[in-house]
Amino acid sequence: MASMNMVQAINSALALEMERDPSMVMLGEDIGVDGGVFRVTEGLQKRFGPARVIDTPLAEGGIIGMSIGMAINGLRPVAEIQFMGFSYPAMNQLISHASRMRNRTRSRLTVPMVMRMPYGAGVKALEHHSESTEALFVHIPGLKVVVPSTPLEAKGLLTASIRDPDPVIFLEPTRSYRMLKEEVPDGEYVIPLGKARMVQEGKDLTLIGWGAMMVQIQKAVDEAAKKGISCEVIDMRTLSPMDSATVVESVKRTGRAIVVQEAPKTCGVGAEIVARINEKALLSLQAPVARVAGPDIIVPLPKGEDYYYISPERILAEIERTVSF
C-alpha cells in the first residue's frame, strides 16, 4: 500500500494495465511527452514507448474515431480528452458508432475502449474547463458512465473500465485530483462496475451523490450528526448502468432522500434517481425527495464560481429542511 492522490492512483492503474495487456494503447493531446494537462500519464510514454502512448493532434473527434477503429481491430485504447467541455466534437463518433457497434453487428464487433476526461468545477478554471454534463452520456444506450470519488475508487474503477468489453466514459473530478490522499494498493485492484458504495449507514435520511460532491456531502453529514441527525450516504460510482436497487433499499429504511449533483438541475442524473425512488419506494417516503444541484446556467468564470459551487452549508440546510418536513 502507498499513500496516493487521485492523479497517482490513475497513473498506477494505467501502468499496471499496460504491463498486463500488450493490446492496450493510450492516445490524447499532450499525454506522451508532457504527461497530460494534469500529469496523469506522466512517465508512461518513456516507459512504454511512443507507439503505445500516442500524442495526437488537437482533434477530439479524430481521437475517438481512431479509438473506435483500434478497438474494433483488436486493441484496447484508452483515450484522454483534456476537459469535458472539449468532448462535444466527439459526440458523433460516440453516439453513431462506439455506443451501437455491438448492436449493429449483433456482437460480431465490439468497442472495448475508455474515454477518460476531467470534469466539474471547483478549481476556478476558464470556460469549457468546468463542465458537468454527465447526463448527456448517461442518456446514450451502449455507453457505461463511471465517476470515482477517491483515489482508491479511481484505481479500482478505472481498472475495471479498461477491462470492460464495451465503451466506458470515465469521468475524473478535477477538484479531487490532488485534494486528498489515501492508502491505495500498489498492485492490481479492481472494483466491479455497476455497484454503488455504501459510505456510511444512518437512520434518518439517505444522501446520494458521486464524484467531487462526496466530499461536500461528508462535511454536511458530519455537521448534521452534531445536531443529532443520522444520515446514510451512498456513492453511486457508476451512473450507467445505475445501481438503483441500493438506493431504493436505503430509502425504504430511512424514509427520506436527497440527491446532490454538481450538474445543472434540469434533466440531470439526480432527476432520474428521484424518479426511480418514486417508482419503487413512494409508500416509504416521509418527505418529498429533494435535489441539491447546480443552477441552470453556464459555469461562471473564477470570480463567480463560489456562488455557483455547491457548499456543505447548502446541503446541510436541505438535510434540516427534509428531516423537519
Side-chain angles (χ1 to χ4, degrees):
M1 302 282 276
S3 179
M4 298 185 192
N5 60 31
M6 189 176 286
V7 167
Q8 294 166 325
I10 293 171
N11 183 283
S12 174
L14 291 170
L16 286 169
E17 288 305 291
M18 288 284 280
E19 285 181 348
R20 189 189 67 85
D21 184 355
S23 72
M24 179 178 157
V25 296
M26 294 189 288
L27 64 162
E29 298 159 2
D30 296 328
I31 69 162
V33 175
D34 292 337
V37 175
F38 292 96
R39 303 298 180 260
V40 173
T41 56
E42 190 167 41
L44 297 181
Q45 188 184 64
K46 186 175 182 180
R47 183 170 172 184
F48 296 101
R52 294 186 66 196
V53 182
I54 305 164
D55 279 319
T56 68
L58 302 179
E60 287 77 12
I63 294 169
I64 300 306
M66 285 190 289
S67 297
I68 294 169
M70 290 174 170
I72 289 174
N73 285 282
L75 297 178
R76 198 165 281 266
V78 176
E80 178 180 300
I81 301 297
Q82 288 192 335
F83 292 92
M84 184 180 243
F86 299 170
S87 68
Y88 311 132
M91 292 299 276
N92 181 44
Q93 295 287 354
L94 288 171
I95 296 173
S96 301
H97 302 298
S99 67
R100 62 184 64 200
M101 190 60 67
R102 178 184 288 280
N103 183 68
R104 178 183 295 158
T105 65
R106 301 299 183 261
S107 295
R108 188 172 62 84
L109 300 176
T110 60
V111 183
M113 61 168 282
V114 175
M115 185 170 95
R116 295 180 38 246
M117 54 188 169
Y119 87 101
V123 295
K124 293 182 167 53
L126 305 174
E127 186 184 8
H128 291 301
H129 293 63
S130 303
E131 312 268 313
S132 185
T133 53
E134 58 269 30
L136 295 177
F137 300 95
V138 172
H139 194 65
I140 302 170
L143 296 181
K144 293 183 175 74
V145 181
V146 179
V147 190
S149 59
T150 74
L152 182 65
E153 293 283 306
K155 180 162 185 175
L157 291 170
L158 179 57
T159 302
S161 298
I162 294 170
R163 297 180 184 183
D164 197 90
D166 292 302
V168 176
I169 309 299
F170 193 81
L171 304 178
E172 300 163 6
T174 312
R175 182 180 166 91
S176 302
Y177 265 152
R178 292 181 170 83
M179 176 184 286
L180 59 96
K181 285 190 170 185
E182 65 179 343
E183 294 294 308
V184 177
D186 295 312
E188 179 180 299
Y189 181 64
V190 184
I191 298 173
L193 304 185
K195 181 63 180 173
R197 177 172 66 107
M198 181 65 70
V199 179
Q200 72 173 54
E201 296 183 346
K203 60 182 179 61
D204 297 324
L205 178 82
T206 300
L207 267 291
I208 304 146
W210 53 91
M213 286 298 98
M214 298 311 299
V215 174
Q216 308 298 79
I217 289 173
Q218 193 60 54
K219 290 178 180 176
V221 165
D222 291 344
E223 289 301 312
K226 297 175 183 175
K227 299 173 182 286
I229 303 172
S230 171
C231 296
E232 191 147 293
V233 179
I234 295 173
D235 175 2
M236 292 303 292
R237 281 180 166 164
T238 306
L239 301 182
S240 179
M242 184 180 289
D243 179 12
S244 49
T246 295
V247 173
V248 167
E249 288 307 310
S250 173
V251 175
K252 283 182 177 178
R253 288 193 300 272
T254 64
R256 303 177 182 88
I258 299 172
V259 186
V260 182
Q261 67 173 37
E262 179 179 342
K265 188 173 189 176
T266 300
C267 291
V269 174
E272 176 64 25
I273 294 173
V274 173
R276 295 189 186 199
I277 292 172
N278 287 336
E279 288 172 350
K280 301 292 185 180
L282 182 65
L283 298 181
S284 300
L285 291 175
Q286 299 174 41
V289 182
R291 284 178 289 168
V292 179
D296 291 333
I297 60 172
I298 305 296
V299 181
L301 293 175
K303 285 186 178 179
E305 191 179 85
D306 288 341
Y307 298 99
Y308 174 93
Y309 203 72
I310 294 171
S311 66
E313 291 76 18
R314 190 175 156 203
I315 299 171
L316 179 60
E318 192 59 48
I319 291 173
E320 294 178 309
R321 191 195 69 80
T322 300
V323 169
S324 62
F325 178 81

